[in-house]
Amino acid sequence: MPWHLSLTVDRNAQLPLGAQVQGSLRRLIEDGTLSSGSRLPSSRQLAADLEISRSVVVEAYEQLSAEGYLVARRGSGTVVAENVRDHPGAGSVLTSPQPEPTDATWDLRTGSSDVSTFPRQEWIRSVAAALTDAGRTELGYGPPSGVLLTRHVLVGYLGRVRGVRTQPQNLMITAGFAQGLALLCKVLRDRGHDALGVEDPGHPGEREFITSAGLRPVGIPVDADGLRVDRLEESGVRVVLTTPANQFPTGVPLSQERRERLISWARAVDGYVVEDDFDSAYLNRSERIPALQSLAPDRVVYAGSASKVLAPALRLGWMAAPSELMASVESARVGWDIGCSGIEQLAFARFITEGAHDRHQRKLRAEFRKRRELVRELLPHHLPGARVLGGDSGLQAYVELPPGVDETALVQSARARSVLVRGGTFYTLDDRTRPPALVVSYATVGCPGLKASTAALGAAYREVTGRRPG
Ligand SMILES: Cc1ncc(COP(=O)(O)O)c(C=O)c1O
């Protein structure tokens, strides 16, 4: 017998019904209420129980299947996947849960960095030195915005590597980019904003954050020059979240003309641009132009984190904002968590000033360049007719597929060959004009694995499209 599920949906909530159903099911699975092998009601049954359209439930089941939470079994309906609670990444809103089916060999999904390279010894040395030197002050409560020394070091560092123009009093240390975004959304909501522009395609986890903060994410399309500023101008929003250095996930940089137009827009609407500089460590030299913030520190909120270079587990991020906005963010922070770990912040300052950060980054940059070159060579070969978008930077390749290719079937076929990968629709908000696509991350798979996994993708592609390498 399929289980009856005590789920509810709120028709008056801002969160779409599908997202509510997905979120509730995910929670029930993650907290163990629904264990592996549990059978779910049929989509028809659940839709009838909740008095919602069946297509909403079908889509929720499909999404959770793509994420590895559910498995559709011929003849016995939809059941909770095996070992779904064992995955350490489950539960993070920004990264999206990444339950890892035990049978998958290669994970080409975005969201991770290569934590296997984490410089453990150098980090331990930095933490040990910070602890050894820490006196009463350092071991007590610090300023909610972060340890002053670390903010000084970061201001110098971001000025040196990204051209960021700020002062320690306008820079806050956050628990990753995620917390900075959450704080900012709260402030914007308090100031009467009800919507925030986001790139479409973009990061679905960020959209969830924005929605949870009570703001409506408004999709702004992206093309070969990055965010469509003309569409932003028509949208009515006054704040936009963007990844100008390397658009996530397409990998295109924002053109110079649009950078300038974006700043003019922010001034004209008396608004802000939120610059998510999440993977600037992996910008190729020719694409490493200064952060957008350097053009207008009074209009751009600049944010970054240690997640892509060191490890997401550190939960170390930073946000530089114009002073009047930072004052509100600081007030919000005081009632929030009284700041991040002071010892980790001091360790991070040391890690930067002793050159360990630059050394580690250089090593990773060289490794990712090798992987990128390989992927950009292999994908067009294995997926004939496909086109890899974007510049020569970042941690993933956005692969546009010929019109008509069944993206969902391709993702499923890849999965049957032990490759976890996501289709373009996973990142899409409303822009249905984009051709089908795959987003192939090379953050966690080295060159030998990339050769094998792209070949497996090629076999999946042949099965779904009938096309063979020429
Ligand atoms: C687009 C984007 N922004 C920011 C982040 C970093 O988030 P955090 O610093 O909260 O770990 C990620 C991580 O996956 C990301 O993909």
Side-chain angles (χ1 to χ4, degrees):
M1 268 290 286
W3 290 28
H4 174 75
L5 284 180
S6 63
L7 291 188
T8 49
V9 289
D10 178 2
R11 283 185 174 66
N12 297 321
Q14 302 236 4
L15 199 62
L17 291 174
Q20 291 186 40
V21 175
Q22 278 177 42
S24 303
L25 283 172
R26 235 184 245 119
R27 265 192 301 282
L28 288 173
I29 295 169
E30 283 172 4
D31 70 15
T33 309
L34 285 177
S35 53
S36 295
S38 302
R39 195 167 157 195
L40 267 65
S42 68
S43 52
R44 193 182 304 280
Q45 183 64 56
L46 186 56
D49 289 347
L50 297 174
E51 296 179 29
I52 58 176
S53 145
R54 184 172 167 227
S55 63
V56 171
V57 179
V58 169
E59 204 173 303
Y61 280 13
E62 279 175 4
Q63 178 59 37
L64 292 172
S65 301
E67 290 175 11
Y69 282 93
L70 300 178
V71 201
R73 292 218 178 113
R74 210 178 285 274
S76 59
T78 303
V79 298
V80 178
E82 292 302 320
N83 298 324
V84 75
R85 289 184 68 212
D86 296 344
H87 192 266
S92 153
V93 182
L94 190 64
T95 56
S96 308
Q98 303 220 348
E100 193 161 344
T102 45
D103 57 341
T105 311
W106 299 288
D107 192 346
L108 305 183
R109 296 174 301 174
T110 56
S112 290
S113 53
D114 197 346
V115 290
S116 68
T117 63
F118 186 80
R120 289 167 202 258
Q121 291 314 319
E122 288 196 280
W123 184 254
I124 288 170
R125 270 199 292 280
S126 297
V127 174
L131 261 178
T132 306
D133 290 353
R136 276 176 181 277
T137 310
E138 287 76 15
L139 289 170
Y141 290 106
S145 292
V147 172
L148 202 52
L149 170 75
T150 310
R151 284 192 274 155
H152 267 285
V153 167
L154 267 170
V155 165
Y157 171 76
L158 295 172
R160 167 165 69 84
V161 299
R162 301 293 295 133
V164 170
R165 294 193 283 148
T166 189
Q167 305 285 330
Q169 65 271 22
N170 290 338
L171 183 126
M172 177 180 275
I173 313 273
T174 56
F177 171 74
Q179 188 188 33
L181 178 62
L183 283 164
L184 202 58
C185 287
K186 177 176 166 22
V187 168
L188 293 173
R189 186 88 185 98
D190 291 348
R191 289 185 174 196
H193 289 258
D194 61 1
L196 185 84
V198 292
E199 293 168 332
D200 187 3
H203 198 301
E206 290 179 352
R207 296 199 291 261
E208 269 187 54
F209 251 107
I210 293 163
T211 311
S212 319
L215 296 172
R216 185 168 40 89
V218 174
I220 312 292
V222 168
D223 67 13
D225 286 327
L227 183 78
R228 290 271 307 267
V229 183
D230 57 331
R231 299 289 292 273
L232 177 63
E233 288 161 351
E234 296 160 4
S235 71
V237 301
R238 291 197 300 118
V239 182
V240 67
L241 170 61
T242 175
T243 47
N246 184 31
Q247 202 277 325
F248 183 85
T250 61
V252 297
L254 189 67
S255 70
Q256 187 55 34
E257 188 249 316
R258 290 207 190 158
R259 280 162 65 94
E260 286 161 19
R261 189 163 169 183
L262 185 54
I263 300 300
S264 303
W265 164 83
R267 293 199 196 289
V269 299
D270 189 20
Y272 295 108
V273 178
V274 183
E275 177 174 23
D276 177 5
D277 204 31
F278 70 108
D279 71 349
S280 58
Y282 307 119
L283 293 177
N284 201 12
R285 188 177 296 281
S286 61
E287 291 174 358
R288 225 177 298 152
I289 50 175
L292 187 71
Q293 192 267 4
S294 65
L295 297 182
D298 58 328
R299 287 290 159 198
V300 180
V301 178
Y302 174 88
S305 83
S307 293
K308 295 291 185 200
V309 174
L310 290 172
L314 292 176
R315 305 314 303 136
L316 253 178
W318 42 88
M319 183 164 76
S323 44
E324 65 76 35
L325 187 59
M326 185 50 92
S328 303
V329 176
E330 271 173 5
S331 306
R333 182 81 189 262
V334 171
W336 193 291
D337 65 357
I338 330 182
C340 307
S341 153
I343 298 301
E344 299 266 331
Q345 292 180 56
L346 287 166
F348 189 47
R350 224 169 242 271
F351 196 76
I352 293 175
T353 51
E354 308 231 314
H357 195 267
D358 280 8
R359 272 196 301 280
H360 183 59
Q361 192 167 296
R362 217 172 292 128
K363 201 167 99 188
L364 283 187
R365 200 180 270 158
E367 171 61 22
F368 286 127
R369 174 176 310 157
K370 268 197 284 176
R371 293 185 194 178
R372 187 181 311 122
E373 281 169 4
L374 186 66
V375 160
R376 291 179 80 89
E377 177 197 322
L378 290 177
L379 283 174
H381 169 73
H382 289 306
L383 313 180
R387 196 166 71 97
V388 182
L389 294 196
D392 196 9
S393 295
L395 296 176
Q396 80 276 336
Y398 187 97
V399 192
E400 246 177 35
L401 304 169
V405 172
D406 184 341
E407 189 187 287
T408 310
L410 182 55
V411 167
Q412 276 164 5
S413 175
R415 191 190 181 108
R417 291 172 165 79
S418 247
V419 181
L420 299 178
V421 68
R422 290 201 176 105
T425 45
F426 178 79
Y427 303 88
T428 303
L429 180 57
D430 310 304
D431 185 4
R432 306 282 158 203
T433 61
R434 298 190 75 85
L438 283 184
V439 180
V440 178
S441 163
Y442 39 85
T444 60
V445 179
C447 287
L450 286 171
K451 284 185 189 155
S453 54
T454 53
L457 269 183
Y461 188 74
R462 274 198 299 286
E463 178 186 82
V464 171
T465 65
R467 290 175 188 240
R468 305 188 159 273

